[in-house]
Amino acid sequence: MTRPIIFALPCCDNQVSALAAELDAAIGDAEVRRFPDFETYLRVLSDVRGREVVLLGSLDRPDAKILPLIFLTRALKQEGAKRVGLVAPYLAYMRQDRQFKSGEGLTSVYFASLLSRELDWLVTVDPHLHRIHDLREIYSIPTRVVHAAPAVAAWVAAHVKQPILIGPDEESEQWIGEIAKLAKAPFTVLTKVRRGDRDVQVSIPQPQLLQDRTPVLVDDIVSTAGTMIATVKHLQALKAAAPICLAVHAIFAGNAASDLTAAGAAKIVTVNTVVHPSNGIDLTAALAAAAGELLATAPLVRG
Ligand code: R5P
């Protein structure tokens, strides 16, 4: 059987060889660049006829990435690719999954239908599921979700003495509970009130749990870092030790990472789903395993 061929989207050139090695895939070559007027030029340089194609691209800051992704997918199919699947370690547009105010766009649904029309399958890591419980509710293509919890727990167990894990809100309780169980550490979750994009108030229900422990704040996403900064400050007021801030998806909008360090985080560690200097936990092998499963399945027959 011909080996699959993997193309990196512009974010992910440094990660493609590790994924290709895990998947035993060839690395494809395409030229993707911007014209001076900001339109996208692209040209597929590798022979993809009859081959399974894997795209690697994290979808943080998605609006600038989505057209090049769609155009590359179409060009690959035009050049004869058998199927084109996407490994998107971070999947965007998962938060607006309900109309909170009349007239709001259901962007998670629109984004899912856009990707489902173009791609043949999708692999991602811990999508930010709240009111949608399964990607299949909005994606019509085969999907696989890689869970970061085992790798996060292993990092905590290996690097932190006497940890206490702290989750951002009640909705995270099950997830934090799983990490805590795997890391053999106690955990608690914050009481959180969000008043605006950057205005968050948190409190720890049982501060006595912090005694002689290293707090480890664990969240699936850090975006403005408002939640973690409010928690760091709350811990300072309680005279707890400076916390380690651990997140799966390092979105870090604007100066969020430096703001978090300035607020008093002892260390920031993230999973490598979004390329960032804080990346310290690698999920390449798990992503390759999930993509391998989908590559081994029969192609979806589109109606
Ligand atoms: C909320 O549901 C999430 O788990 C995060 O706590 C939240 O998205 C973090 O956002 P920010 O960094 O902007 O506070």
Side-chain angles (χ1 to χ4, degrees), residues 152-153 156 164-169 172 175-176 179-180 188 190 215-222 228 244-248:
V152 169
V156 172
I164 165 120
L165 306 189
I166 301 174
D169 49 34
S172 69
W175 184 66
I176 294 290
I179 297 171
T188 185
L190 299 168
V216 183
L217 314 186
V218 189
D219 208 337
D220 62 343
I221 300 182
V222 197
M228 285 208 176
I244 294 169
C245 295
L246 217 162
V248 178

mmCIF file with all atom_site columns, all heavy atoms in Angstrom, residues 152-153 156 164-169 172 175-176 179-180 188 190 215-222 228 244-248:
data_model
loop_
_atom_site.group_PDB
_atom_site.id
_atom_site.type_symbol
_atom_site.label_atom_id
_atom_site.label_alt_id
_atom_site.label_comp_id
_atom_site.label_asym_id
_atom_site.label_entity_id
_atom_site.label_seq_id
_atom_site.pdbx_PDB_ins_code
_atom_site.Cartn_x
_atom_site.Cartn_y
_atom_site.Cartn_z
_atom_site.occupancy
_atom_site.B_iso_or_equiv
_atom_site.pdbx_formal_charge
_atom_site.auth_seq_id
_atom_site.auth_comp_id
_atom_site.auth_asym_id
_atom_site.auth_atom_id
_atom_site.pdbx_PDB_model_num
ATOM 1   N N   . VAL A 1 152 ? -1.147  14.971 30.495 1.00 0.00 ? 152 VAL A N   1
ATOM 2   C CA  . VAL A 1 152 ? -1.101  16.052 31.491 1.00 0.00 ? 152 VAL A CA  1
ATOM 3   C C   . VAL A 1 152 ? -0.846  15.454 32.880 1.00 0.00 ? 152 VAL A C   1
ATOM 4   O O   . VAL A 1 152 ? -0.001  15.942 33.650 1.00 0.00 ? 152 VAL A O   1
ATOM 5   C CB  . VAL A 1 152 ? -2.430  16.864 31.464 1.00 0.00 ? 152 VAL A CB  1
ATOM 6   C CG1 . VAL A 1 152 ? -2.520  17.821 32.650 1.00 0.00 ? 152 VAL A CG1 1
ATOM 7   C CG2 . VAL A 1 152 ? -2.546  17.641 30.145 1.00 0.00 ? 152 VAL A CG2 1
ATOM 8   N N   . ALA A 1 153 ? -1.547  14.377 33.177 1.00 0.00 ? 153 ALA A N   1
ATOM 9   C CA  . ALA A 1 153 ? -1.379  13.724 34.486 1.00 0.00 ? 153 ALA A CA  1
ATOM 10  C C   . ALA A 1 153 ? 0.046   13.205 34.652 1.00 0.00 ? 153 ALA A C   1
ATOM 11  O O   . ALA A 1 153 ? 0.668   13.343 35.720 1.00 0.00 ? 153 ALA A O   1
ATOM 12  C CB  . ALA A 1 153 ? -2.381  12.579 34.633 1.00 0.00 ? 153 ALA A CB  1
ATOM 13  N N   . VAL A 1 156 ? 2.344   16.074 35.493 1.00 0.00 ? 156 VAL A N   1
ATOM 14  C CA  . VAL A 1 156 ? 2.187   16.511 36.894 1.00 0.00 ? 156 VAL A CA  1
ATOM 15  C C   . VAL A 1 156 ? 2.893   15.517 37.822 1.00 0.00 ? 156 VAL A C   1
ATOM 16  O O   . VAL A 1 156 ? 3.677   15.904 38.710 1.00 0.00 ? 156 VAL A O   1
ATOM 17  C CB  . VAL A 1 156 ? 0.687   16.647 37.281 1.00 0.00 ? 156 VAL A CB  1
ATOM 18  C CG1 . VAL A 1 156 ? 0.525   16.904 38.779 1.00 0.00 ? 156 VAL A CG1 1
ATOM 19  C CG2 . VAL A 1 156 ? 0.035   17.773 36.480 1.00 0.00 ? 156 VAL A CG2 1
ATOM 20  N N   . ILE A 1 164 ? -1.722  20.081 44.226 1.00 0.00 ? 164 ILE A N   1
ATOM 21  C CA  . ILE A 1 164 ? -3.182  20.094 44.323 1.00 0.00 ? 164 ILE A CA  1
ATOM 22  C C   . ILE A 1 164 ? -3.670  20.683 43.003 1.00 0.00 ? 164 ILE A C   1
ATOM 23  O O   . ILE A 1 164 ? -3.258  21.780 42.617 1.00 0.00 ? 164 ILE A O   1
ATOM 24  C CB  . ILE A 1 164 ? -3.721  20.893 45.525 1.00 0.00 ? 164 ILE A CB  1
ATOM 25  C CG1 . ILE A 1 164 ? -5.224  21.181 45.345 1.00 0.00 ? 164 ILE A CG1 1
ATOM 26  C CG2 . ILE A 1 164 ? -3.032  22.245 45.716 1.00 0.00 ? 164 ILE A CG2 1
ATOM 27  C CD1 . ILE A 1 164 ? -6.075  20.640 46.389 1.00 0.00 ? 164 ILE A CD1 1
ATOM 28  N N   . LEU A 1 165 ? -4.492  19.936 42.290 1.00 0.00 ? 165 LEU A N   1
ATOM 29  C CA  . LEU A 1 165 ? -4.965  20.398 40.987 1.00 0.00 ? 165 LEU A CA  1
ATOM 30  C C   . LEU A 1 165 ? -6.188  21.282 41.179 1.00 0.00 ? 165 LEU A C   1
ATOM 31  O O   . LEU A 1 165 ? -7.068  20.973 41.995 1.00 0.00 ? 165 LEU A O   1
ATOM 32  C CB  . LEU A 1 165 ? -5.326  19.215 40.090 1.00 0.00 ? 165 LEU A CB  1
ATOM 33  C CG  . LEU A 1 165 ? -4.252  18.145 39.885 1.00 0.00 ? 165 LEU A CG  1
ATOM 34  C CD1 . LEU A 1 165 ? -4.693  17.167 38.802 1.00 0.00 ? 165 LEU A CD1 1
ATOM 35  C CD2 . LEU A 1 165 ? -2.928  18.768 39.494 1.00 0.00 ? 165 LEU A CD2 1
ATOM 36  N N   . ILE A 1 166 ? -6.238  22.363 40.409 1.00 0.00 ? 166 ILE A N   1
ATOM 37  C CA  . ILE A 1 166 ? -7.357  23.310 40.529 1.00 0.00 ? 166 ILE A CA  1
ATOM 38  C C   . ILE A 1 166 ? -7.967  23.518 39.143 1.00 0.00 ? 166 ILE A C   1
ATOM 39  O O   . ILE A 1 166 ? -7.291  23.967 38.213 1.00 0.00 ? 166 ILE A O   1
ATOM 40  C CB  . ILE A 1 166 ? -6.870  24.657 41.115 1.00 0.00 ? 166 ILE A CB  1
ATOM 41  C CG1 . ILE A 1 166 ? -6.254  24.411 42.503 1.00 0.00 ? 166 ILE A CG1 1
ATOM 42  C CG2 . ILE A 1 166 ? -8.018  25.660 41.186 1.00 0.00 ? 166 ILE A CG2 1
ATOM 43  C CD1 . ILE A 1 166 ? -5.597  25.632 43.124 1.00 0.00 ? 166 ILE A CD1 1
ATOM 44  N N   . GLY A 1 167 ? -9.236  23.162 39.017 1.00 0.00 ? 167 GLY A N   1
ATOM 45  C CA  . GLY A 1 167 ? -9.943  23.321 37.737 1.00 0.00 ? 167 GLY A CA  1
ATOM 46  C C   . GLY A 1 167 ? -10.680 24.651 37.697 1.00 0.00 ? 167 GLY A C   1
ATOM 47  O O   . GLY A 1 167 ? -11.028 25.205 38.738 1.00 0.00 ? 167 GLY A O   1
ATOM 48  N N   . PRO A 1 168 ? -10.957 25.165 36.474 1.00 0.00 ? 168 PRO A N   1
ATOM 49  C CA  . PRO A 1 168 ? -11.479 26.524 36.337 1.00 0.00 ? 168 PRO A CA  1
ATOM 50  C C   . PRO A 1 168 ? -12.938 26.702 36.745 1.00 0.00 ? 168 PRO A C   1
ATOM 51  O O   . PRO A 1 168 ? -13.346 27.799 37.126 1.00 0.00 ? 168 PRO A O   1
ATOM 52  C CB  . PRO A 1 168 ? -11.326 26.816 34.843 1.00 0.00 ? 168 PRO A CB  1
ATOM 53  C CG  . PRO A 1 168 ? -11.340 25.465 34.191 1.00 0.00 ? 168 PRO A CG  1
ATOM 54  C CD  . PRO A 1 168 ? -10.682 24.542 35.171 1.00 0.00 ? 168 PRO A CD  1
ATOM 55  N N   . ASP A 1 169 ? -13.734 25.670 36.631 1.00 0.00 ? 169 ASP A N   1
ATOM 56  C CA  . ASP A 1 169 ? -15.167 25.820 36.932 1.00 0.00 ? 169 ASP A CA  1
ATOM 57  C C   . ASP A 1 169 ? -15.796 24.445 37.145 1.00 0.00 ? 169 ASP A C   1
ATOM 58  O O   . ASP A 1 169 ? -15.150 23.417 36.914 1.00 0.00 ? 169 ASP A O   1
ATOM 59  C CB  . ASP A 1 169 ? -15.892 26.579 35.801 1.00 0.00 ? 169 ASP A CB  1
ATOM 60  C CG  . ASP A 1 169 ? -15.566 26.000 34.427 1.00 0.00 ? 169 ASP A CG  1
ATOM 61  O OD1 . ASP A 1 169 ? -15.386 24.768 34.332 1.00 0.00 ? 169 ASP A OD1 1
ATOM 62  O OD2 . ASP A 1 169 ? -15.457 26.770 33.467 1.00 0.00 ? 169 ASP A OD2 1
ATOM 63  N N   . SER A 1 172 ? -15.615 21.692 34.604 1.00 0.00 ? 172 SER A N   1
ATOM 64  C CA  . SER A 1 172 ? -14.348 20.983 34.377 1.00 0.00 ? 172 SER A CA  1
ATOM 65  C C   . SER A 1 172 ? -14.133 19.851 35.379 1.00 0.00 ? 172 SER A C   1
ATOM 66  O O   . SER A 1 172 ? -13.130 19.146 35.317 1.00 0.00 ? 172 SER A O   1
ATOM 67  C CB  . SER A 1 172 ? -13.177 21.976 34.483 1.00 0.00 ? 172 SER A CB  1
ATOM 68  O OG  . SER A 1 172 ? -13.035 22.415 35.822 1.00 0.00 ? 172 SER A OG  1
ATOM 69  N N   . TRP A 1 175 ? -13.263 16.294 34.167 1.00 0.00 ? 175 TRP A N   1
ATOM 70  C CA  . TRP A 1 175 ? -11.976 16.272 33.465 1.00 0.00 ? 175 TRP A CA  1
ATOM 71  C C   . TRP A 1 175 ? -10.817 16.379 34.456 1.00 0.00 ? 175 TRP A C   1
ATOM 72  O O   . TRP A 1 175 ? -9.865  15.600 34.424 1.00 0.00 ? 175 TRP A O   1
ATOM 73  C CB  . TRP A 1 175 ? -11.979 17.422 32.450 1.00 0.00 ? 175 TRP A CB  1
ATOM 74  C CG  . TRP A 1 175 ? -10.795 17.510 31.579 1.00 0.00 ? 175 TRP A CG  1
ATOM 75  C CD1 . TRP A 1 175 ? -10.421 16.602 30.626 1.00 0.00 ? 175 TRP A CD1 1
ATOM 76  C CD2 . TRP A 1 175 ? -9.816  18.548 31.554 1.00 0.00 ? 175 TRP A CD2 1
ATOM 77  N NE1 . TRP A 1 175 ? -9.276  17.037 30.005 1.00 0.00 ? 175 TRP A NE1 1
ATOM 78  C CE2 . TRP A 1 175 ? -8.886  18.223 30.555 1.00 0.00 ? 175 TRP A CE2 1
ATOM 79  C CE3 . TRP A 1 175 ? -9.643  19.736 32.269 1.00 0.00 ? 175 TRP A CE3 1
ATOM 80  C CZ2 . TRP A 1 175 ? -7.799  19.025 30.261 1.00 0.00 ? 175 TRP A CZ2 1
ATOM 81  C CZ3 . TRP A 1 175 ? -8.563  20.538 31.969 1.00 0.00 ? 175 TRP A CZ3 1
ATOM 82  C CH2 . TRP A 1 175 ? -7.650  20.186 30.982 1.00 0.00 ? 175 TRP A CH2 1
ATOM 83  N N   . ILE A 1 176 ? -10.920 17.334 35.383 1.00 0.00 ? 176 ILE A N   1
ATOM 84  C CA  . ILE A 1 176 ? -9.860  17.508 36.391 1.00 0.00 ? 176 ILE A CA  1
ATOM 85  C C   . ILE A 1 176 ? -9.802  16.270 37.287 1.00 0.00 ? 176 ILE A C   1
ATOM 86  O O   . ILE A 1 176 ? -8.732  15.815 37.677 1.00 0.00 ? 176 ILE A O   1
ATOM 87  C CB  . ILE A 1 176 ? -10.147 18.749 37.291 1.00 0.00 ? 176 ILE A CB  1
ATOM 88  C CG1 . ILE A 1 176 ? -10.061 20.016 36.463 1.00 0.00 ? 176 ILE A CG1 1
ATOM 89  C CG2 . ILE A 1 176 ? -9.211  18.831 38.482 1.00 0.00 ? 176 ILE A CG2 1
ATOM 90  C CD1 . ILE A 1 176 ? -8.663  20.341 36.025 1.00 0.00 ? 176 ILE A CD1 1
ATOM 91  N N   . ILE A 1 179 ? -7.757  13.655 35.604 1.00 0.00 ? 179 ILE A N   1
ATOM 92  C CA  . ILE A 1 179 ? -6.310  13.944 35.648 1.00 0.00 ? 179 ILE A CA  1
ATOM 93  C C   . ILE A 1 179 ? -5.785  13.691 37.067 1.00 0.00 ? 179 ILE A C   1
ATOM 94  O O   . ILE A 1 179 ? -4.723  13.092 37.262 1.00 0.00 ? 179 ILE A O   1
ATOM 95  C CB  . ILE A 1 179 ? -6.034  15.407 35.208 1.00 0.00 ? 179 ILE A CB  1
ATOM 96  C CG1 . ILE A 1 179 ? -6.468  15.604 33.758 1.00 0.00 ? 179 ILE A CG1 1
ATOM 97  C CG2 . ILE A 1 179 ? -4.563  15.774 35.389 1.00 0.00 ? 179 ILE A CG2 1
ATOM 98  C CD1 . ILE A 1 179 ? -6.444  17.047 33.288 1.00 0.00 ? 179 ILE A CD1 1
ATOM 99  N N   . ALA A 1 180 ? -6.568  14.130 38.054 1.00 0.00 ? 180 ALA A N   1
ATOM 100 C CA  . ALA A 1 180 ? -6.151  13.973 39.447 1.00 0.00 ? 180 ALA A CA  1
ATOM 101 C C   . ALA A 1 180 ? -6.008  12.492 39.810 1.00 0.00 ? 180 ALA A C   1
ATOM 102 O O   . ALA A 1 180 ? -5.048  12.086 40.478 1.00 0.00 ? 180 ALA A O   1
ATOM 103 C CB  . ALA A 1 180 ? -7.164  14.651 40.367 1.00 0.00 ? 180 ALA A CB  1
ATOM 104 N N   . THR A 1 188 ? -9.577  20.323 43.322 1.00 0.00 ? 188 THR A N   1
ATOM 105 C CA  . THR A 1 188 ? -10.763 21.109 43.644 1.00 0.00 ? 188 THR A CA  1
ATOM 106 C C   . THR A 1 188 ? -11.115 21.929 42.403 1.00 0.00 ? 188 THR A C   1
ATOM 107 O O   . THR A 1 188 ? -10.295 22.041 41.484 1.00 0.00 ? 188 THR A O   1
ATOM 108 C CB  . THR A 1 188 ? -10.518 22.021 44.878 1.00 0.00 ? 188 THR A CB  1
ATOM 109 O OG1 . THR A 1 188 ? -11.737 22.678 45.214 1.00 0.00 ? 188 THR A OG1 1
ATOM 110 C CG2 . THR A 1 188 ? -9.454  23.073 44.616 1.00 0.00 ? 188 THR A CG2 1
ATOM 111 N N   . LEU A 1 190 ? -12.851 25.725 40.943 1.00 0.00 ? 190 LEU A N   1
ATOM 112 C CA  . LEU A 1 190 ? -13.153 27.094 41.344 1.00 0.00 ? 190 LEU A CA  1
ATOM 113 C C   . LEU A 1 190 ? -14.638 27.389 41.204 1.00 0.00 ? 190 LEU A C   1
ATOM 114 O O   . LEU A 1 190 ? -15.321 26.821 40.360 1.00 0.00 ? 190 LEU A O   1
ATOM 115 C CB  . LEU A 1 190 ? -12.405 28.073 40.432 1.00 0.00 ? 190 LEU A CB  1
ATOM 116 C CG  . LEU A 1 190 ? -10.882 27.998 40.422 1.00 0.00 ? 190 LEU A CG  1
ATOM 117 C CD1 . LEU A 1 190 ? -10.332 28.813 39.254 1.00 0.00 ? 190 LEU A CD1 1
ATOM 118 C CD2 . LEU A 1 190 ? -10.335 28.535 41.739 1.00 0.00 ? 190 LEU A CD2 1
ATOM 119 N N   . PRO A 1 215 ? -0.027  24.464 44.184 1.00 0.00 ? 215 PRO A N   1
ATOM 120 C CA  . PRO A 1 215 ? -1.218  24.553 43.331 1.00 0.00 ? 215 PRO A CA  1
ATOM 121 C C   . PRO A 1 215 ? -0.856  24.399 41.855 1.00 0.00 ? 215 PRO A C   1
ATOM 122 O O   . PRO A 1 215 ? 0.112   24.990 41.381 1.00 0.00 ? 215 PRO A O   1
ATOM 123 C CB  . PRO A 1 215 ? -1.762  25.967 43.597 1.00 0.00 ? 215 PRO A CB  1
ATOM 124 C CG  . PRO A 1 215 ? -0.984  26.504 44.755 1.00 0.00 ? 215 PRO A CG  1
ATOM 125 C CD  . PRO A 1 215 ? 0.301   25.736 44.832 1.00 0.00 ? 215 PRO A CD  1
ATOM 126 N N   . VAL A 1 216 ? -1.636  23.585 41.144 1.00 0.00 ? 216 VAL A N   1
ATOM 127 C CA  . VAL A 1 216 ? -1.455  23.428 39.695 1.00 0.00 ? 216 VAL A CA  1
ATOM 128 C C   . VAL A 1 216 ? -2.793  23.776 39.056 1.00 0.00 ? 216 VAL A C   1
ATOM 129 O O   . VAL A 1 216 ? -3.765  23.042 39.195 1.00 0.00 ? 216 VAL A O   1
ATOM 130 C CB  . VAL A 1 216 ? -1.050  21.983 39.327 1.00 0.00 ? 216 VAL A CB  1
ATOM 131 C CG1 . VAL A 1 216 ? -0.787  21.883 37.823 1.00 0.00 ? 216 VAL A CG1 1
ATOM 132 C CG2 . VAL A 1 216 ? 0.165   21.528 40.117 1.00 0.00 ? 216 VAL A CG2 1
ATOM 133 N N   . LEU A 1 217 ? -2.851  24.946 38.405 1.00 0.00 ? 217 LEU A N   1
ATOM 134 C CA  . LEU A 1 217 ? -4.085  25.340 37.725 1.00 0.00 ? 217 LEU A CA  1
ATOM 135 C C   . LEU A 1 217 ? -4.131  24.604 36.396 1.00 0.00 ? 217 LEU A C   1
ATOM 136 O O   . LEU A 1 217 ? -3.176  24.666 35.622 1.00 0.00 ? 217 LEU A O   1
ATOM 137 C CB  . LEU A 1 217 ? -4.110  26.848 37.460 1.00 0.00 ? 217 LEU A CB  1
ATOM 138 C CG  . LEU A 1 217 ? -3.709  27.771 38.615 1.00 0.00 ? 217 LEU A CG  1
ATOM 139 C CD1 . LEU A 1 217 ? -3.940  29.225 38.233 1.00 0.00 ? 217 LEU A CD1 1
ATOM 140 C CD2 . LEU A 1 217 ? -4.467  27.404 39.874 1.00 0.00 ? 217 LEU A CD2 1
ATOM 141 N N   . VAL A 1 218 ? -5.223  23.898 36.152 1.00 0.00 ? 218 VAL A N   1
ATOM 142 C CA  . VAL A 1 218 ? -5.313  23.114 34.916 1.00 0.00 ? 218 VAL A CA  1
ATOM 143 C C   . VAL A 1 218 ? -6.563  23.541 34.156 1.00 0.00 ? 218 VAL A C   1
ATOM 144 O O   . VAL A 1 218 ? -7.664  23.518 34.709 1.00 0.00 ? 218 VAL A O   1
ATOM 145 C CB  . VAL A 1 218 ? -5.391  21.594 35.212 1.00 0.00 ? 218 VAL A CB  1
ATOM 146 C CG1 . VAL A 1 218 ? -5.270  20.804 33.921 1.00 0.00 ? 218 VAL A CG1 1
ATOM 147 C CG2 . VAL A 1 218 ? -4.300  21.171 36.178 1.00 0.00 ? 218 VAL A CG2 1
ATOM 148 N N   . ASP A 1 219 ? -6.379  23.957 32.904 1.00 0.00 ? 219 ASP A N   1
ATOM 149 C CA  . ASP A 1 219 ? -7.525  24.385 32.093 1.00 0.00 ? 219 ASP A CA  1
ATOM 150 C C   . ASP A 1 219 ? -7.373  23.818 30.690 1.00 0.00 ? 219 ASP A C   1
ATOM 151 O O   . ASP A 1 219 ? -6.257  23.528 30.255 1.00 0.00 ? 219 ASP A O   1
ATOM 152 C CB  . ASP A 1 219 ? -7.590  25.919 32.052 1.00 0.00 ? 219 ASP A CB  1
ATOM 153 C CG  . ASP A 1 219 ? -9.021  26.415 31.853 1.00 0.00 ? 219 ASP A CG  1
ATOM 154 O OD1 . ASP A 1 219 ? -9.845  25.652 31.330 1.00 0.00 ? 219 ASP A OD1 1
ATOM 155 O OD2 . ASP A 1 219 ? -9.300  27.576 32.211 1.00 0.00 ? 219 ASP A OD2 1
ATOM 156 N N   . ASP A 1 220 ? -8.497  23.685 30.000 1.00 0.00 ? 220 ASP A N   1
ATOM 157 C CA  . ASP A 1 220 ? -8.360  23.186 28.624 1.00 0.00 ? 220 ASP A CA  1
ATOM 158 C C   . ASP A 1 220 ? -7.875  24.286 27.682 1.00 0.00 ? 220 ASP A C   1
ATOM 159 O O   . ASP A 1 220 ? -7.124  23.999 26.750 1.00 0.00 ? 220 ASP A O   1
ATOM 160 C CB  . ASP A 1 220 ? -9.663  22.522 28.120 1.00 0.00 ? 220 ASP A CB  1
ATOM 161 C CG  . ASP A 1 220 ? -10.846 23.468 28.065 1.00 0.00 ? 220 ASP A CG  1
ATOM 162 O OD1 . ASP A 1 220 ? -10.796 24.544 28.695 1.00 0.00 ? 220 ASP A OD1 1
ATOM 163 O OD2 . ASP A 1 220 ? -11.844 23.135 27.391 1.00 0.00 ? 220 ASP A OD2 1
ATOM 164 N N   . ILE A 1 221 ? -8.276  25.519 27.917 1.00 0.00 ? 221 ILE A N   1
ATOM 165 C CA  . ILE A 1 221 ? -7.840  26.632 27.060 1.00 0.00 ? 221 ILE A CA  1
ATOM 166 C C   . ILE A 1 221 ? -7.360  27.788 27.924 1.00 0.00 ? 221 ILE A C   1
ATOM 167 O O   . ILE A 1 221 ? -7.984  28.088 28.937 1.00 0.00 ? 221 ILE A O   1
ATOM 168 C CB  . ILE A 1 221 ? -9.005  27.198 26.225 1.00 0.00 ? 221 ILE A CB  1
ATOM 169 C CG1 . ILE A 1 221 ? -9.610  26.137 25.320 1.00 0.00 ? 221 ILE A CG1 1
ATOM 170 C CG2 . ILE A 1 221 ? -8.546  28.383 25.371 1.00 0.00 ? 221 ILE A CG2 1
ATOM 171 C CD1 . ILE A 1 221 ? -10.726 26.677 24.444 1.00 0.00 ? 221 ILE A CD1 1
ATOM 172 N N   . VAL A 1 222 ? -6.268  28.429 27.523 1.00 0.00 ? 222 VAL A N   1
ATOM 173 C CA  . VAL A 1 222 ? -5.966  29.750 28.081 1.00 0.00 ? 222 VAL A CA  1
ATOM 174 C C   . VAL A 1 222 ? -6.067  30.716 26.913 1.00 0.00 ? 222 VAL A C   1
ATOM 175 O O   . VAL A 1 222 ? -5.331  30.599 25.940 1.00 0.00 ? 222 VAL A O   1
ATOM 176 C CB  . VAL A 1 222 ? -4.548  29.897 28.655 1.00 0.00 ? 222 VAL A CB  1
ATOM 177 C CG1 . VAL A 1 222 ? -4.481  31.111 29.548 1.00 0.00 ? 222 VAL A CG1 1
ATOM 178 C CG2 . VAL A 1 222 ? -4.142  28.697 29.411 1.00 0.00 ? 222 VAL A CG2 1
ATOM 179 N N   . MET A 1 228 ? -6.937  32.406 34.708 1.00 0.00 ? 228 MET A N   1
ATOM 180 C CA  . MET A 1 228 ? -5.740  31.999 35.471 1.00 0.00 ? 228 MET A CA  1
ATOM 181 C C   . MET A 1 228 ? -5.182  33.179 36.273 1.00 0.00 ? 228 MET A C   1
ATOM 182 O O   . MET A 1 228 ? -4.765  33.000 37.423 1.00 0.00 ? 228 MET A O   1
ATOM 183 C CB  . MET A 1 228 ? -4.685  31.440 34.528 1.00 0.00 ? 228 MET A CB  1
ATOM 184 C CG  . MET A 1 228 ? -5.062  30.035 34.050 1.00 0.00 ? 228 MET A CG  1
ATOM 185 S SD  . MET A 1 228 ? -3.633  29.048 33.661 1.00 0.00 ? 228 MET A SD  1
ATOM 186 C CE  . MET A 1 228 ? -4.383  27.468 33.264 1.00 0.00 ? 228 MET A CE  1
ATOM 187 N N   . ILE A 1 244 ? 1.669   26.548 39.445 1.00 0.00 ? 244 ILE A N   1
ATOM 188 C CA  . ILE A 1 244 ? 2.052   26.155 38.088 1.00 0.00 ? 244 ILE A CA  1
ATOM 189 C C   . ILE A 1 244 ? 0.780   26.254 37.248 1.00 0.00 ? 244 ILE A C   1
ATOM 190 O O   . ILE A 1 244 ? -0.286  25.804 37.688 1.00 0.00 ? 244 ILE A O   1
ATOM 191 C CB  . ILE A 1 244 ? 2.598   24.713 38.090 1.00 0.00 ? 244 ILE A CB  1
ATOM 192 C CG1 . ILE A 1 244 ? 3.916   24.681 38.874 1.00 0.00 ? 244 ILE A CG1 1
ATOM 193 C CG2 . ILE A 1 244 ? 2.779   24.186 36.676 1.00 0.00 ? 244 ILE A CG2 1
ATOM 194 C CD1 . ILE A 1 244 ? 4.427   23.304 39.178 1.00 0.00 ? 244 ILE A CD1 1
ATOM 195 N N   . CYS A 1 245 ? 0.870   26.885 36.078 1.00 0.00 ? 245 CYS A N   1
ATOM 196 C CA  . CYS A 1 245 ? -0.307  27.050 35.217 1.00 0.00 ? 245 CYS A CA  1
ATOM 197 C C   . CYS A 1 245 ? -0.168  26.111 34.036 1.00 0.00 ? 245 CYS A C   1
ATOM 198 O O   . CYS A 1 245 ? 0.761   26.231 33.240 1.00 0.00 ? 245 CYS A O   1
ATOM 199 C CB  . CYS A 1 245 ? -0.407  28.497 34.739 1.00 0.00 ? 245 CYS A CB  1
ATOM 200 S SG  . CYS A 1 245 ? -0.708  29.627 36.117 1.00 0.00 ? 245 CYS A SG  1
ATOM 201 N N   . LEU A 1 246 ? -1.088  25.178 33.949 1.00 0.00 ? 246 LEU A N   1
ATOM 202 C CA  . LEU A 1 246 ? -0.995  24.110 32.954 1.00 0.00 ? 246 LEU A CA  1
ATOM 203 C C   . LEU A 1 246 ? -2.243  24.132 32.072 1.00 0.00 ? 246 LEU A C   1
ATOM 204 O O   . LEU A 1 246 ? -3.359  24.119 32.594 1.00 0.00 ? 246 LEU A O   1
ATOM 205 C CB  . LEU A 1 246 ? -0.943  22.810 33.751 1.00 0.00 ? 246 LEU A CB  1
ATOM 206 C CG  . LEU A 1 246 ? -0.062  21.693 33.269 1.00 0.00 ? 246 LEU A CG  1
ATOM 207 C CD1 . LEU A 1 246 ? 0.177   20.713 34.390 1.00 0.00 ? 246 LEU A CD1 1
ATOM 208 C CD2 . LEU A 1 246 ? -0.686  21.031 32.099 1.00 0.00 ? 246 LEU A CD2 1
ATOM 209 N N   . ALA A 1 247 ? -2.045  24.216 30.768 1.00 0.00 ? 247 ALA A N   1
ATOM 210 C CA  . ALA A 1 247 ? -3.214  24.261 29.874 1.00 0.00 ? 247 ALA A CA  1
ATOM 211 C C   . ALA A 1 247 ? -2.988  23.344 28.684 1.00 0.00 ? 247 ALA A C   1
ATOM 212 O O   . ALA A 1 247 ? -1.850  23.073 28.307 1.00 0.00 ? 247 ALA A O   1
ATOM 213 C CB  . ALA A 1 247 ? -3.454  25.680 29.382 1.00 0.00 ? 247 ALA A CB  1
ATOM 214 N N   . VAL A 1 248 ? -4.087  22.897 28.118 1.00 0.00 ? 248 VAL A N   1
ATOM 215 C CA  . VAL A 1 248 ? -3.967  22.099 26.899 1.00 0.00 ? 248 VAL A CA  1
ATOM 216 C C   . VAL A 1 248 ? -3.702  23.048 25.721 1.00 0.00 ? 248 VAL A C   1
ATOM 217 O O   . VAL A 1 248 ? -2.663  22.980 25.095 1.00 0.00 ? 248 VAL A O   1
ATOM 218 C CB  . VAL A 1 248 ? -5.239  21.248 26.654 1.00 0.00 ? 248 VAL A CB  1
ATOM 219 C CG1 . VAL A 1 248 ? -5.100  20.467 25.358 1.00 0.00 ? 248 VAL A CG1 1
ATOM 220 C CG2 . VAL A 1 248 ? -5.492  20.314 27.830 1.00 0.00 ? 248 VAL A CG2 1
#
